[in-house]
Amino acid sequence: MNRRQLLTMIAAMTGTAMIGANRAFAYLPTETGPNIFSDDDAAFLDEVAEVIIPATDTPGAKDAGVGAFMTVFVSDCYTKEEQDDFRAGMEQLKSEAESTGTPFLDMTPEERLAFLQGVVPDARAQAKLVEEAKERAKQSQDQQSNADQAGEAATAEMAEALPKLHWYTPIEQLTLMGFFTSEVGATQVLRYEAVPGEYIGDLDYDGEPAWAT
Amino acid sequence: MADNMHYDAIVVGSGISGGWAAKELTEKGLKVLMLERGRNIEHLTDYVNADKEAWDYPHRGTATVEMKDNYPVLKRDYPLNEQTYGMWADEQENPYTEEKRFDWFRAYHVGGRSLLWGRQTYRLSDIDFEANAREGIATDWPIRYADIAPWYDHVERFAGISGKNEGLEQLPDGQFLPPIPLNVVEKDVAARLQKAFGGTRHLINSRCANITQPKPEQNRVNCQYRNKCWLGCPYGAYFSTQSATLPVAMATGNLTVRPFSIVRQVIYDKDAKRAKGVEIIDAETNMTYEYTADVVFLNASSFNSTWIMMNSATDVWDGGLGSSSGELGHNVMDHHFRVGAEGRVEGFDDKYYFGRRPAGFYIPRFRNLGGEERPYTRGFGYQGSASRQGWKREIAELNIGADMKEALSRPGDWTIGMTGFGEMLPDHANHIALDHSTTDKWGMPVLKISVELGENERQMRKDMQQDAVDIFEAAGVKDVRPTESDYAPGMGIHEMGTARMGKDPKTSVLNAHNQVWDAPNVYVTDGACMTSASCVNPSLTYMALTARAVDHAVKARKAGDL
């Protein structure tokens, strides 16, 4: 069955006996709120993201507008504290770059890569520490709630004590997410089929790009 | 509003069971009023996100801080996301009280959760229907498999259930469309499982309400493997009120739907010992109206059907209609889950797949069968799938730049994972009640919920994890890891009980035909009626019980018994 046949089969159903004519959106569009970043911030994040996912024979992070996406995501989906950490991370990136003798934006692509490569091991090690701390906090919370239900203050204290992620990690995560869920990333670097029409569970694989979802 | 105030039957609620009640009643010639507390949602035209892609959402699907502030309960799990935003009950207007944590995920609009459900559809067996009596737990179901089997046939044929007959006593066969295929890794694991456990554990195609062949008589097209069911299917490929039962009911010319209608109470005539109809609040105008009918079907969702009964006939019974047994509001059940295992599968790097399935595999219950006695009673099934990892995977070495980009643009290892869905025993202590100190937007007392897992469930969860590990290891899966994440009652979105069926009005709220003992022209056929939970997904059973109850109601009305 092809797409056209499909669509002709789907007759819209109207003419229902419905009391009350009020209509509302079923699925609500989510709006974007005020963006707390400047265009320069977005452009800077684009440059950082491009190091993580550069244009090669296929498009890269800048082509996908990853910098602008990051500013929207952090503005709307991060808590105030996470936003402050993210912004402090951008500043940290800049100052650590400068301490090598060259501001990040003045570095060549090779220098930018070497600089960020240099922080990856620290970021990974820090992420591991945070995970372990979270696990410990969870276990102690479990014990607490087993013992009594009034452990909330202690849990909040525990959350306070959690170490923070390295500044690189949120930037890296948002770059990957922003890129591979973008139209450019999903269709030109990965593969995407909007209406597969069938499921084949035993297909020979010969090195093609992965499915976007 | 120039509407008729008397109908042959009133159906309260428009979700899975309400839609079935309306379809069956109108097809049998009754004039029916369907009341829905939320707004209308038109099939197809209102599915405004159905053709959106990941990049069409400004936050790529992630809930914003504002959304989380608005939905403090929903944010506890996946239902709060950008794609389905607006499809869940407003938590500010509709608060409830958690004496103990209970995740209540509600959908207040025409179609209810039929637009948002997981679509897994399995039959209960006599092992389930006999369990309470055999073990002396709660009270006996008043029906057996033979009573409901023809109605399972009936609803499966209409709804369109894909699956495969397996000949298993604990999971009865049915009327299936071709199954959604297993992939090459799942088939391999299935074959190894058969060998490793001597044919006692089975990995099978999941059974689900996504059609794999067109149903032109219902204007429904077969599943297109987009896996976007929750956005409302533009092909009508999964069963919902809108795609299946509502159009048929409408086509009879016998159905009137009234959205924005919050049923405040069933109006009870104490002389006739019958319901006269219902009183509603118009959710938009706050005006109240009375509608009368010969028969009332309560299909407002487990807790809300009971909430309506608690608010009804309080001049006769303090606890409301159906409370004379002392069981109204009690015996809340859910399916406990989010415990299982995952691992990596080698040997299939030259294999991939095409399309996105809306379902994976199923491993039916295998515990406490054939005389086995574990340190707990009842059992659990597993739901899971195998797939190749995508861009979200960690790459240890190539972690930045062109090399990483290249690596992440190819499929990664095959992985397989599953989670158990366990039966929760009915326990009188697990209950809902009216909280008169808190009211909703319309001034009605809200529900307070007090439910927790018991020792039987805690013991079962040990097996749910260890058996998952053993199954994968026996099937040759590598790096098998047990998994467990936060579970609280309600999270299964399978809340059941609070108005159970039974054989005796002293210990149950409903009889064998889902009639309220104290008002035989009131039928309750949603999850409230469940006497025990089984471990299988419950919606198919609500459909079958509803169709069966309508058949009874129409015959009884004709015979003058209502």
Side-chain angles (χ1 to χ4, degrees):
Chain A
M1 190 176 299
N2 65 30
R3 194 95 198 270
R4 179 190 295 258
Q5 286 171 313
L6 281 177
L7 294 175
T8 42
M9 265 193 69
I10 303 172
M13 277 161 262
T14 54
T16 55
M18 188 74 66
I19 299 172
N22 282 351
R23 290 288 301 277
F25 269 118
Y27 295 77
L28 294 174
T30 45
E31 312 288 345
T32 51
N35 196 313
I36 61 168
F37 295 93
S38 67
D39 290 350
D40 281 353
D41 290 332
F44 176 76
L45 290 169
D46 245 355
E47 296 298 332
V48 179
E50 185 71 13
V51 181
I52 300 169
I53 302 183
T56 50
D57 55 342
T58 55
K62 263 201 228 178
D63 299 307
V66 166
F69 164 75
M70 277 197 251
T71 65
V72 171
F73 194 93
V74 173
S75 296
D76 294 337
C77 300
Y78 274 31
T79 63
K80 178 73 174 62
E81 189 193 347
E82 289 166 340
Q83 287 172 348
D84 291 345
D85 288 347
F86 187 85
R87 196 178 279 286
M90 286 172 68
E91 296 312 314
Q92 185 71 16
L93 189 166
K94 287 176 189 169
S95 73
E96 283 185 29
E98 271 193 49
S99 69
T100 69
T102 318
F104 183 81
L105 290 178
D106 294 344
M107 289 178 173
T108 65
E110 291 73 22
E111 287 169 338
R112 290 178 180 185
L113 180 62
F115 167 66
L116 288 180
Q117 248 168 352
V119 307
V120 170
D122 287 349
R124 291 279 188 278
Q126 184 66 16
K128 204 169 164 230
L129 283 181
V130 173
E131 273 313 303
E132 288 165 0
K134 269 192 198 159
E135 189 55 35
R136 278 196 305 274
K138 187 177 172 291
Q139 279 170 10
S140 99
Q141 189 183 351
D142 287 351
Q143 284 167 6
Q144 195 96 36
S145 59
N146 282 347
D148 65 341
Q149 297 284 339
E152 255 177 56
T155 309
E157 209 167 284
M158 197 70 77
E160 241 8 78
L162 274 187
K164 287 185 189 297
L165 286 170
H166 189 279
W167 57 261
Y168 177 72
T169 301
I171 292 177
E172 178 193 36
Q173 287 171 346
L174 289 181
T175 298
L176 293 176
M177 178 192 180
F179 181 74
F180 286 115
T181 60
S182 71
E183 182 163 16
V184 161
T187 64
Q188 296 183 45
V189 177
L190 303 173
R191 279 187 294 169
Y192 182 68
E193 187 70 44
V195 186
E198 62 181 329
Y199 180 78
I200 305 169
D202 187 358
L203 205 58
D204 287 335
Y205 175 69
D206 197 20
E208 298 89 349
W211 296 115
T213 72
Chain B
M1 213 169 285
D3 48 314
N4 180 11
M5 304 310 277
H6 181 80
Y7 293 83
D8 296 331
I10 290 172
V11 175
V12 181
S14 62
I16 285 180
S17 68
W20 267 100
K23 170 191 173 292
E24 299 286 308
L25 286 163
T26 55
E27 283 189 316
K28 291 177 193 290
L30 274 66
K31 295 285 181 192
V32 174
L33 174 66
M34 177 190 259
L35 297 168
E36 164 53 50
R37 66 178 295 150
R39 67 194 184 284
N40 183 35
I41 288 179
E42 275 304 325
H43 189 40
L44 310 178
T45 51
D46 281 349
Y47 304 151
V48 292
N49 285 354
D51 287 319
K52 281 191 187 166
E53 305 299 355
W55 51 87
D56 292 324
Y57 300 96
H59 313 97
R60 307 285 161 83
T62 308
T64 63
V65 169
E66 187 188 346
M67 286 164 65
K68 288 179 185 168
D69 288 345
N70 291 338
Y71 288 87
V73 172
L74 201 63
K75 78 172 185 195
R76 295 171 187 168
D77 201 11
Y78 66 91
L80 186 65
N81 55 58
E82 215 171 9
Q83 290 95 335
T84 62
Y85 194 57
M87 294 294 282
W88 301 96
D90 187 316
E91 293 181 13
Q92 319 302 319
E93 295 182 354
N94 306 283
Y96 66 97
T97 305
E98 297 174 86
E99 282 193 338
K100 293 168 185 154
R101 178 180 161 187
F102 191 94
D103 297 356
W104 195 17
F105 300 156
R106 301 160 288 170
Y108 290 169
H109 49 242
V110 172
R113 288 179 294 190
S114 80
L115 287 168
L116 299 160
W117 66 311
R119 306 168 310 286
Q120 294 282 304
T121 37
Y122 302 97
R123 295 183 178 205
L124 270 65
S125 74
D126 266 337
I127 295 169
D128 300 309
F129 287 114
E130 291 168 0
N132 281 1
R134 195 173 48 236
E135 298 162 3
I137 288 173
T139 194
D140 189 12
W141 278 90
I143 59 169
R144 290 293 180 265
Y145 181 69
D147 297 308
I148 194 175
W151 297 103
Y152 276 135
D153 286 346
H154 175 73
V155 297
E156 283 172 348
R157 282 197 192 99
F158 177 82
I161 307 298
S162 60
K164 208 164 140 231
N165 287 330
E166 307 281 350
L168 300 173
E169 192 193 356
Q170 70 274 38
L171 196 75
D173 290 336
Q175 308 295 327
F176 298 134
L177 299 171
I180 289 173
L182 297 175
N183 62 41
V184 61
V185 165
E186 292 161 351
K187 282 181 184 166
D188 182 67
V189 170
R192 288 165 182 256
L193 205 58
Q194 283 294 339
K195 273 193 205 146
F197 294 95
T200 59
R201 299 186 190 186
H202 312 270
L203 186 154
I204 66 174
N205 300 75
S206 67
R207 297 171 182 176
C208 70
N210 292 73
I211 57 175
T212 50
Q213 285 172 350
K215 276 186 165 287
E217 74 284 5
Q218 293 180 17
N219 282 312
R220 295 172 62 194
V221 176
N222 46 300
C223 179
Q224 298 298 301
Y225 296 96
R226 307 183 326 144
N227 195 20
K228 291 185 178 179
C229 310
W230 279 33
L231 307 184
C233 185
Y235 307 96
Y238 75 91
F239 172 91
S240 67
T241 295
Q242 273 84 347
S243 73
T245 47
L246 187 59
V248 169
M250 284 295 185
T252 64
N254 291 331
L255 181 66
T256 303
V257 181
R258 193 187 197 289
F260 296 116
S261 302
I262 300 168
V263 174
R264 185 149 90 176
Q265 63 170 320
V266 172
I267 304 164
Y268 182 72
D269 179 340
K270 54 184 160 191
D271 301 323
K273 296 187 166 51
R274 299 284 189 278
K276 277 198 326 202
V278 300
E279 182 187 39
I280 69 155
I281 306 172
D282 186 301
E284 292 187 301
T285 65
N286 293 330
M287 301 280 284
T288 59
Y289 299 90
E290 282 187 19
Y291 290 96
T292 56
D294 300 345
V295 190
V296 175
F297 267 73
L298 293 182
N299 300 94
S301 82
S302 299
F303 292 177
N304 282 324
S305 288
T306 292
W307 177 83
I308 291 168
M309 286 192 279
M310 288 173 168
N311 285 313
S312 307
T314 47
D315 54 335
V316 184
W317 300 278
D318 283 346
L321 181 64
S323 66
S324 60
S325 62
E327 295 296 338
L328 187 70
H330 292 272
N331 310 296
V332 173
M333 297 166 283
D334 185 28
H335 288 127
H336 61 100
F337 71 128
R338 288 163 71 102
V339 55
E342 61 186 19
R344 187 171 56 81
V345 179
E346 290 180 348
F348 294 90
D349 287 351
D350 59 342
K351 292 291 180 185
Y352 207 15
Y353 40 79
F354 177 83
R356 298 181 294 279
R357 287 176 303 177
F361 65 75
Y362 189 65
I363 295 181
R365 174 178 165 184
F366 51 85
R367 283 301 187 190
N368 289 324
L369 301 177
E372 184 190 49
E373 284 187 29
R374 302 294 300 162
Y376 55 89
T377 183
R378 316 290 165 102
F380 53 88
Y382 289 110
Q383 295 178 23
S385 65
S387 60
R388 293 190 73 159
Q389 290 182 303
W391 59 266
K392 287 176 187 161
R393 68 187 185 272
E394 285 258 356
I395 294 188
E397 302 300 320
L398 314 163
N399 45 32
I400 186 169
D403 292 343
M404 177 193 68
K405 178 187 172 191
E406 169 58 24
L408 286 185
S409 69
R410 310 292 152 192
D413 289 335
W414 279 93
T415 59
I416 189 166
M418 61 186 183
T419 176
F421 282 75
E423 177 163 358
M424 185 172 164
L425 291 179
D427 180 343
H428 184 85
N430 287 330
H431 72 280
I432 59 174
L434 292 182
D435 176 2
H436 289 280
S437 67
T438 310
T439 52
D440 65 16
K441 187 190 174 191
W442 298 272
M444 296 293 290
V446 304
L447 285 174
K448 62 181 170 201
I449 306 177
S450 183
V451 178
E452 64 185 4
L453 291 188
E455 187 54 25
N456 199 65
E457 288 80 39
R458 279 192 289 276
Q459 288 295 331
M460 186 187 295
R461 287 175 82 76
K462 292 180 190 169
D463 264 10
M464 285 162 75
Q465 186 164 75
Q466 191 55 47
D467 287 349
V469 169
D470 293 348
I471 281 171
F472 281 158
E473 284 183 342
V477 177
K478 311 290 181 203
D479 304 333
V480 177
R481 293 174 300 277
T483 55
E484 178 160 19
S485 47
D486 177 44
Y487 167 80
M491 219 173 208
I493 324 184
H494 292 174
E495 67 271 16
M496 288 170 271
T498 68
R500 70 184 178 199
M501 295 168 73
K503 292 175 167 167
D504 183 345
K506 290 193 200 73
T507 55
S508 59
V509 178
L510 308 174
N511 70 12
H513 294 283
N514 298 74
Q515 295 167 282
V516 178
W517 287 110
D518 295 327
N521 65 339
V522 179
Y523 290 77
V524 183
T525 67
D526 57 23
C529 75
M530 298 292 277
T531 312
S532 70
S534 174
C535 67
V536 301
N537 305 57
S539 298
L540 185 74
T541 298
Y542 309 162
M543 297 189 207
L545 287 173
T546 301
R548 179 173 174 272
V550 167
D551 184 66
H552 181 271
V554 171
K555 285 175 181 158
R557 179 172 174 265
K558 209 171 277 176
D561 293 342
L562 293 187

